[in-house]
Amino acid sequence: ALVGSVVGALAAGVSPDAVASMRRATTRLAIRACSSARTVGAKQERALAQVLATVHVLVLEDDPLVRWALVEAMRAAGHHVRAAESLEQALAIVSRVDAAVVDLQLPDAGGDEATRALRDADPGLAIVAYTGSPPGPALPRGADAELVKGEAGVESVVRIVRHVLIQRASRP
């Protein structure tokens, strides 16, 4: 049904950004519906897995090897992936994704500047900071979760992204 709606909207001349916004809103509603049941049975888990597989994820990482590993892990989990190596590139595509995995040490953004900029661009975006530095006493501003490279592998990043998506979709 979602694919038909998107194709119909594109045929009607709706802008790609508006179509992406519609898809993202539908995805968030579906995640909320699938994860809000008091008891989650096998049927709800299958439905949630299907919805999560439609999620679009941005990987913002300047190290090509780490970026490749994250992109491949997200694709293996069934996600649609967009990659960027700078905050500037990420801001150009953030409106088309549901979640972002963000390196905190980018050539054009230091510290939590990237997470703040992405959060400002999309308050509903699920953001996971993935950094090579030991975590500070608090999450980077704008991030929903933080993982340390070397301590958390890419499979952990995939699980945390899904967890954050469910948490954010469950909020009123």
Side-chain angles (χ1 to χ4, degrees):
L2 178 59
V3 172
S5 299
V6 169
V7 170
L10 286 172
V14 177
S15 76
D17 282 344
V19 171
S21 180
M22 290 186 315
R23 184 202 51 77
R24 291 173 53 219
T26 303
T27 299
R28 288 175 183 159
L29 286 172
I31 290 171
R32 181 180 298 147
C34 292
S35 63
S36 65
R38 291 201 185 272
T39 58
V40 177
K43 186 176 180 180
Q44 288 90 351
E45 287 197 21
R46 281 192 305 274
L48 182 59
Q50 288 176 336
V51 171
L52 288 172
T54 68
V55 167
H56 291 238
V57 179
L58 166 65
V59 172
L60 174 53
E61 170 64 61
D62 63 319
D63 182 309
L65 186 58
V66 175
R67 185 174 57 246
W68 174 84
L70 287 167
V71 166
E72 291 305 311
M74 292 294 167
R75 284 189 179 139
H79 299 303
H80 304 275
V81 185
R82 311 283 307 263
E85 59 187 58
S86 69
L87 179 57
E88 180 182 4
Q89 289 176 348
L91 288 172
I93 58 175
V94 71
S95 66
R96 296 184 178 104
V97 299
D98 306 296
V101 178
V102 181
D103 180 11
L104 296 181
Q105 298 172 336
L106 297 165
D108 62 341
D112 57 16
E113 181 182 350
T115 54
R116 280 195 324 262
L118 292 171
R119 175 69 63 224
D120 289 346
D122 181 0
L125 186 68
I127 300 175
V128 175
Y130 193 49
T131 180
S133 303
L139 280 175
R141 289 184 49 203
D144 296 297
E146 180 179 17
L147 296 169
V148 178
K149 296 173 188 173
E151 292 178 15
V154 292
E155 295 83 11
S156 295
V157 177
V158 171
R159 281 194 306 275
I160 294 299
V161 165
R162 288 179 170 204
H163 177 75
V164 169
L165 280 162
I166 291 168
Q167 278 187 323
R168 291 195 70 77
S170 300
R171 295 178 187 164

